[in-house]
Amino acid sequence: QVQLVESGGGSVQAGESLTLSCAASGGTSNSYKIGWFRQAPGKERELVAAISGMGGSTYYPESAKGRFTISRDYAKKTVYLHISSLKPEDTAVYYCTGDPSPILNEFPLKGYWGQGTQVTVSS
């Protein structure tokens, strides 16, 4: 069993940066790959970054390359998502999810998910 808790969201101005945190608990949480998704009102949940359980391999969809950076601290069992040059269209609830399979860009909907953290970007 893995529990995930996101934090770090808030209201920011366009152009600013923000770092979100995903704290994991559970005996095998460090071996799970972690993904960051976001969901804006009226839109589908989309993957913006993922990091492997061991080795630290990362994945970004084309739409997220350049402004999103994912990293993890194994000692703290925490995965971070740094977003730079925020835009109003980045406004969404950001979720982290964990999964034991090694395929970086695939996460089951019924896997382990956090409760989400709201990011609001004003122009």
Side-chain angles (χ1 to χ4, degrees), residues 2-4 24-34 53 72 77:
V2 174
Q3 291 82 40
L4 302 170
S25 61
T28 58
S29 58
N30 270 344
S31 66
Y32 279 39
K33 71 174 186 279
I34 300 292
R72 74 190 296 169
K77 292 188 175 182

Side-chain angles (χ1 to χ4, degrees), residues 53-84:
M54 302 302 292
S57 298
T58 59
Y59 167 82
Y60 303 94
E62 283 299 321
S63 60
K65 288 182 179 178
R67 295 192 301 116
F68 293 78
T69 304
I70 190 170
S71 60
R72 74 190 296 169
D73 183 326
Y74 290 97
K76 295 182 178 179
K77 292 188 175 182
T78 299
V79 174
Y80 305 97
L81 180 70
H82 181 76
I83 314 171
S84 61

Side-chain angles (χ1 to χ4, degrees), residues 90-102:
D90 293 320
T91 295
V93 179
Y94 286 73
Y95 300 89
C96 63
T97 180
D99 182 66
S101 87

Side-chain angles (χ1 to χ4, degrees), residues 36-60:
W36 279 99
F37 282 72
R38 68 182 181 184
Q39 187 166 22
K43 295 189 177 181
E44 292 187 356
R45 194 170 293 192
E46 63 172 342
L47 177 66
V48 296
I51 190 165
S52 64
M54 302 302 292
S57 298
T58 59
Y59 167 82
Y60 303 94

